[in-house]
């Protein structure tokens, strides 16, 4: 069994709202509890990115302002490395503002922020103010490679952008409660090979420990699921998030 997980946090200073640090901490804890060493590398604006130096890439959410700064660096400095990592099947997970930058572009009125084009999708900022944001608790049903059936992810969303998937993209999940990609498509997130984008933050991984384990297993290329842990607290967090979304389970 692999004894080390190398995680790359992309732009942790600029793209880290709504518990993104907690997501990384949860990965670290669950590895530690199983005796898997955990290495976290922070790769920020202007830094080089080595596609082979990490098993799992994580990019969190961010405000439009910070996304502008990040997008330019992402496209000019890190696009090739991220495509290389995706091509060898390394999981890349991006949340909300990060998810929006995985696609072709993010449109804000007249302005267009280029994305890295890792997934066939684009995002358009809804006109209007706060009332047009898609905010609230959300639950989605996902089917992931290697799992025996559909599972539930529960979390929280808060975004002004609407993400439209192209023909070449499949959603991460089906919205059971909440808004998802556009508010009316019935879909949430994107799954393209090992690249995952989702609007679910508000401790995504602490509320869905099974998903954290799936990411670790996939990143390490393990056939068998990770050894179970005492997940009473994690199960309670998951149940609470589902109840908040109105989908008790
Ligand atoms: N700025 C983006 C939007 O509002 C993403 C926000 C976020 O990451 N919460 O759509």
């Amino acid at each position: 069994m692999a004894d080390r997980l190398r995680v790359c946090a992309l732009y942790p200073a600029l793209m880290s709202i709504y518990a993104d640090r907690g997501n990384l901490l949860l990965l670290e804890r669950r590895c530690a509890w199983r005796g898997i060493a955990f290495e976290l590398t922070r790769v920020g604006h202007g830094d080089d990115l080595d596609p082979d130096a990490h098993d799992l890439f994580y990019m969190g959410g961010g405000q439009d302002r910070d996304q502008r700064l990040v997008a330019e660096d992402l496209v000019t400095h890190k696009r090739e490395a991220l495509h290389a990592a995706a091509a060898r099947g390394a999981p890349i997970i991006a949340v909300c503002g990060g998810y929006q930058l995985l696609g072709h572009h993010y449109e804000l009125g007249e302005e267009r922020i280029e994305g890295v084009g890792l997934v066939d999708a684009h995002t358009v900022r809804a006109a209007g103010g706060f009332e047009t944001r898609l905010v609230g608790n959300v639950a989605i049903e996902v089917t992931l490679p290697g799992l025996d059936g559909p599972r539930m992810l529960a979390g929280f969303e808060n975004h002004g952008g609407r993400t439209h998937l192209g023909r070449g993209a499949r959603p991460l999940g089906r919205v059971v409660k909440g808004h998802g990609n556009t508010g009316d498509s019935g879909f949430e997130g994107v799954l393209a090979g090992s690249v995952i984008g989702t609007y679910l933050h508000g401790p995504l991984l602490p509320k869905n420990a099974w998903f954290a384990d799936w990411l670790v297993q996939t990143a390490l290329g393990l056939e068998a699921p990770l050894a179970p842990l005492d997940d009473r607290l994690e199960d309670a967090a998951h149940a609470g998030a589902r109840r908040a979304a109105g989908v008790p389970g």
Side-chain angles (χ1 to χ4, degrees), residues 94-96 99 138-142 153 156-157 159 163 165 170-183 185-191 196-201 204:
V95 175
C96 200
Y99 165 32
V138 47
I140 65 170
E141 191 181 71
V142 301
L153 279 177
F156 181 78
E157 61 184 328
H159 50 109
T163 299
L165 303 184
R170 65 159 272 201
L172 172 63
R174 183 180 68 78
V175 174
V176 180
K177 271 287 165 59
H179 302 290
N181 283 340
T182 63
S185 67
F187 295 126
E188 205 292 316
V190 69
L191 175 65
I196 295 175
T198 179
Y199 274 116
L200 271 65
H201 39 185
L204 169 67

Side-chain angles (χ1 to χ4, degrees), residues 15 17-18 20 60-65 67 95-100 106 108 123-126 133 157-163 199 201:
M15 302 290 282
I17 53 174
Y18 282 123
D20 288 310
Q63 312 282 356
D64 294 343
R65 186 188 58 233
Q67 283 177 275
V95 175
C96 200
Y99 165 32
Q100 295 170 342
Y106 177 25
L108 302 103
T123 300
V124 181
R125 175 79 190 228
R133 295 188 72 80
E157 61 184 328
N158 181 356
H159 50 109
R162 312 294 197 257
T163 299
Y199 274 116
H201 39 185

Side-chain angles (χ1 to χ4, degrees), residues 24-77:
L24 294 168
L25 194 59
L26 185 99
L27 289 172
E28 190 262 313
R29 290 284 77 207
R30 294 185 76 77
C31 284
W33 288 330
R34 294 182 169 106
I36 302 171
F38 184 87
E39 273 175 29
L40 179 66
T41 308
R42 295 176 178 83
V43 174
H45 195 279
D47 295 342
D48 290 336
L49 178 62
D50 177 351
D52 298 317
H54 317 282
D55 306 306
L56 172 66
F57 297 77
Y58 180 89
M59 180 158 58
Q63 312 282 356
D64 294 343
R65 186 188 58 233
D66 297 326
Q67 283 177 275
R68 284 188 186 91
L69 282 173
V70 162
E72 203 204 339
D73 183 70
L74 202 57
V75 168
T76 55
H77 228 92

